[in-house]
Amino acid sequence: MTFWEAVLVFVAGIWAGTINTVVGSGTLVSFPVLLGVGLPPVTANVSNTIGLFPGSFVGAYGYRRELAGQRNRALLLSTASALGAITGAVLLLELPAGAFKAIVPILIALALVLVVFGKQATAWLTARGRGATEHVSVALWVVSFGTGVYGGYFGAAQGVLLMAFLGLFLAESLQRQNALKNVLAGVTNLVAAVVFVAVTHVDWTAAGLIAGGSIVGGLLGAKIGRRLSPAVLRATIVVVGVAAIIKLLL
């Protein structure tokens, strides 16, 4: 990797870390850059996952005020994310590289519909006794596991999916949901990273550059994201999600 390629990877890490903390989908920035500097797809994906998890935890720390009172909730949902991440990481190493490609845009589109019409969907579920609550429901644990599987496999727009499901099943403000999202995304990436380090090749130069950039991005993202109004944050999620779908379909 040349000096300027290293600079490009580091900047991509900053950008990805910022986007991940505010919304999610930072992988759509950093992963193509790693491919562009010559890494094979699986190695790029693995190195990217390892590089991004520090930024998620830094972003979660930046949201520590919004995490107050959510410790038990975060621990319970983290078990779902961790188990899902192990499953997803194994699938990445065992399945053909394009196995999930067809359904990923559909998942993101569904998530965007839930983000936009989340209040109506929650009201519909509440009327039938299955709406959002302050407690972790079985449904929320299950979808957190499913999102963990997706995050361990690839992770693009993992944050968008998490925000959609948290909005549907968790009775909390959007900013507190976003804080919890950063914890769960961080756990997913960390657990997947441990699996990858144990069983497959990692480009440590690339992973280190992404990690350094994602830490800076996590700090920036927390400062930006916490200042956004719920309407602006929701609009940002939709814009990033649409961009993710377009990127994946091209």
Side-chain angles (χ1 to χ4, degrees):
M1 189 181 301
T2 68
F3 172 78
W4 290 113
E5 286 176 337
V7 171
L8 179 62
V9 171
F10 180 73
V11 172
I14 296 176
W15 191 359
T18 303
I19 294 173
N20 276 344
T21 302
V22 177
V23 182
S25 299
T27 290
L28 294 176
V29 174
S30 51
F31 179 68
V33 169
L34 293 179
L35 293 178
V37 299
L39 270 65
V42 173
T43 302
N45 199 2
V46 166
S47 304
N48 184 63
T49 298
I50 293 171
L52 288 179
F53 85 80
S56 295
F57 286 119
V58 169
Y61 178 76
Y63 270 89
R64 59 193 178 279
R65 292 180 187 174
E66 288 75 15
L67 282 170
Q70 298 201 76
R71 179 180 178 181
N72 291 338
R73 181 185 292 158
L75 289 173
L76 186 55
L77 290 177
S78 289
T79 63
S81 294
L83 291 172
I86 294 171
T87 305
V90 172
L91 288 175
L92 174 67
L93 299 174
E94 296 296 330
L95 293 180
F100 277 6
K101 187 175 181 180
I103 67 168
V104 168
I106 298 173
L107 287 174
I108 299 173
L110 174 61
L112 293 181
V113 170
L114 292 177
V115 169
V116 174
F117 299 105
K119 290 184 179 179
Q120 293 89 332
T122 299
W124 186 85
L125 288 171
T126 300
R128 288 155 180 78
R130 298 189 294 272
T133 69
E134 294 182 356
H135 305 290
V136 175
S137 64
V138 173
L140 179 55
W141 196 95
V142 170
V143 295
S144 297
F145 170 80
T147 307
V149 174
Y150 172 68
Y153 186 91
F154 182 48
Q158 175 189 181
V160 175
L161 292 172
L162 279 170
M163 288 299 288
F165 292 132
L166 290 173
L168 191 61
F169 294 111
L170 189 62
E172 282 287 5
S173 69
L174 200 62
Q175 289 290 5
R176 281 173 64 80
Q177 292 169 9
N178 201 23
L180 185 57
K181 175 266 293 181
N182 284 325
V183 173
L184 300 181
V187 169
T188 299
N189 286 338
L190 173 59
V191 172
V194 171
V195 174
F196 293 147
V197 168
V199 300
T200 193
H201 172 69
V202 178
D203 188 311
W204 287 106
T205 300
L209 290 167
I210 293 291
S214 74
I215 290 171
V216 176
L219 292 171
L220 291 174
K223 290 183 178 295
I224 295 169
R226 294 179 69 247
R227 288 172 169 78
L228 298 179
S229 68
V232 173
L233 181 56
R234 189 172 284 107
T236 303
I237 293 171
V238 172
V239 169
V240 172
V242 170
I245 293 172
I246 294 172
K247 181 76 174 179
L248 289 167
L249 290 176
L250 292 180

